[in-house]
Amino acid sequence: MNGMREVWLGRYEGELARIFAEATDGLSALPAPLSDLASSLLKCFNPVASNSGEAGGGTNYICFLLPFWFKELTGCGDDLCRELAVGNVYAMLHFFLLDDVMDAKAVADLKETRRALALGQMLHEAFKRRYGYYFPAESPLWERYETYLADWACAVADEGDQKADPANPAALARKSAPVKLCAAGMLLVSGRAERLPQMEEALDLALATLQLSDDWADWREDLAEDGERRNAFLTLVRRALELPSNQPLEERLVKRGIYRIGCLRELVGIAKGHHEKLVNMPEVPEALLAFHADIVMGLEKDAIETEERVDQLAAEGGLSMLLSNLSNK
């Protein structure tokens, strides 16, 4: 485990196991047809489901661990952090199911769709119950939730209508806006409501970089599924190639952008710009900075490997053939 990963993950591995154990126990009380589905779904997202620690959780670590990352800054206790973390697990599964149902391919089986929506509603209630232990209905936190929920709703409703803008972190983060709720709650509990705007800006930067990393990893899949407009990396490539709006973006063109124009390096530059802003903001939790730095390092590693491949091909006399093929196809 590298140094950055130790800061944002290694210190909290015990808490992760406890969070998912509590979340599993809570879901066991669901009606039988839904409890089995919930258990299977939860296992898919459990980052400690295997000895490698790599199963399932993926980029969702921020959902599970954000309360603990804000613990030192806010002075909140472990019990509050755990309740919010378990609530976040339920909320994450709720939004995952909604996203899945909104995918056209997911509605082919009406029975499965009904089950997904029913479970999603139960998960939403479980999330509200966990948060409700500390934030009653009259708490100002629920006004923030309405704002974050509206951001999410607008993001998914508009998805595909406009191209994702890699240079607009606030827009890139909108679909993940509900993640910010736990940090807002902890600031309110600690009497630091005045820090909410800065917290939201910092998390927008982190969530935007996470989205850029996901878009880089998923560009082939998104392109094949006609998801160019949803993928910020593909937007960056189209702009770099100066393609007319009526020209389809094909895989060979994306590869040209990567190998000839350095689009991945440009993406790294955007992510590094986000990190510079985060570093210069006051009172950003150390673990959040480390998490963000780890994402940037991953993008940097991919860019270096891509550039090394280009250099190797050039040394072997194969680069001209590669570029010629990309230009002529």
Side-chain angles (χ1 to χ4, degrees):
M1 183 176 293
N2 65 44
M4 293 296 179
R5 195 173 176 87
E6 172 62 28
V7 172
W8 67 262
L9 175 60
R11 299 174 183 176
Y12 307 105
E13 287 185 331
E15 290 294 350
L16 269 179
R18 182 167 180 169
I19 289 165
F20 275 85
E22 288 193 20
T24 300
D25 288 343
L27 294 180
S28 65
L30 294 176
L34 299 180
S35 62
D36 291 343
L37 176 59
S39 177
S40 298
L41 187 61
L42 188 61
K43 287 180 181 177
C44 292
F45 286 91
N46 188 347
V48 291
S50 72
N51 291 331
S52 68
E54 296 296 331
T59 58
N60 294 292
Y61 279 111
I62 192 170
C63 298
F64 319 143
L65 293 178
L66 193 59
F68 294 95
W69 296 349
F70 270 82
K71 176 186 172 184
E72 183 176 348
L73 177 65
T74 60
C76 292
D78 287 339
D79 289 344
L80 171 61
C81 292
R82 290 179 187 128
E83 289 294 344
L84 297 185
V86 174
N88 284 0
V89 171
Y90 295 150
M92 176 201 66
L93 297 179
H94 163 70
F95 286 111
F96 170 80
L97 288 170
L98 285 181
D99 285 346
D100 204 38
V101 168
M102 285 187 283
D103 186 329
K105 297 184 293 302
V107 299
D109 188 326
L110 186 57
K111 181 179 180 180
E112 291 302 315
T113 300
R114 286 199 299 264
R115 284 190 175 183
L117 291 174
L119 177 57
Q121 185 61 33
M122 299 295 286
L123 289 165
H124 181 66
E125 292 304 313
F127 144 74
K128 290 182 67 176
R129 187 162 53 251
R130 289 284 178 165
Y131 270 71
Y133 294 150
Y134 290 89
F135 303 99
E138 64 273 13
S139 170
L141 179 70
W142 299 110
E143 295 179 7
R144 300 311 307 155
Y145 179 62
E146 290 178 4
T147 298
Y148 300 149
L149 189 62
D151 285 341
W152 169 84
C154 290
V156 297
D158 294 341
E159 196 171 41
D161 293 340
Q162 296 180 346
K163 289 184 174 63
D165 185 355
N168 189 338
L172 288 174
R174 288 173 77 198
K175 193 173 180 180
S176 301
V179 170
K180 296 183 281 191
L181 187 67
C182 64
M186 294 173 75
L187 288 174
L188 289 172
V189 165
S190 62
R192 309 191 69 192
E194 76 281 356
R195 306 300 296 176
L196 280 170
Q198 179 187 305
M199 175 278 294
E200 291 173 340
E201 182 183 0
L203 288 177
D204 279 349
L205 289 168
L207 292 168
T209 299
L210 188 55
Q211 185 62 57
L212 291 175
S213 178
D214 287 348
D215 286 351
W216 157 246
D218 298 339
W219 72 261
R220 284 186 177 86
E221 179 181 348
D222 288 345
L223 188 65
E225 295 179 356
D226 195 27
E228 177 191 342
R229 290 182 177 272
R230 296 177 296 174
N231 189 301
F233 176 68
L234 294 179
T235 300
L236 186 153
V237 171
R238 174 175 284 278
R239 290 176 180 174
L241 294 173
E242 298 182 347
L243 297 179
S245 59
N246 61 348
Q247 180 176 349
L249 183 61
E250 302 171 355
E251 183 170 340
R252 65 179 179 85
L253 295 174
V254 179
K255 290 180 177 178
R256 185 191 303 176
I258 295 170
Y259 292 108
R260 294 189 64 175
I261 302 178
C263 288
L264 178 53
R265 177 56 62 182
E266 184 177 348
L267 192 76
V268 171
I270 295 173
K272 285 185 172 180
H274 292 172
H275 195 69
E276 183 177 354
K277 290 179 180 178
L278 278 173
V279 168
N280 289 312
M281 294 175 69
E283 296 189 308
V284 176
E286 179 189 17
L288 179 61
L289 286 174
F291 176 72
H292 190 268
D294 218 9
I295 300 171
V296 176
M297 287 169 58
L299 288 170
E300 178 81 37
K301 179 176 179 290
D302 288 350
I304 290 172
E305 290 176 351
T306 298
E307 291 159 359
E308 287 177 345
R309 182 184 178 194
V310 171
D311 291 342
Q312 181 181 4
L313 287 170
E316 296 173 352
L319 180 60
S320 59
M321 181 178 298
L322 171 65
L323 299 181
S324 176
N325 288 339
L326 293 176
S327 299
N328 295 330
K329 286 182 180 179

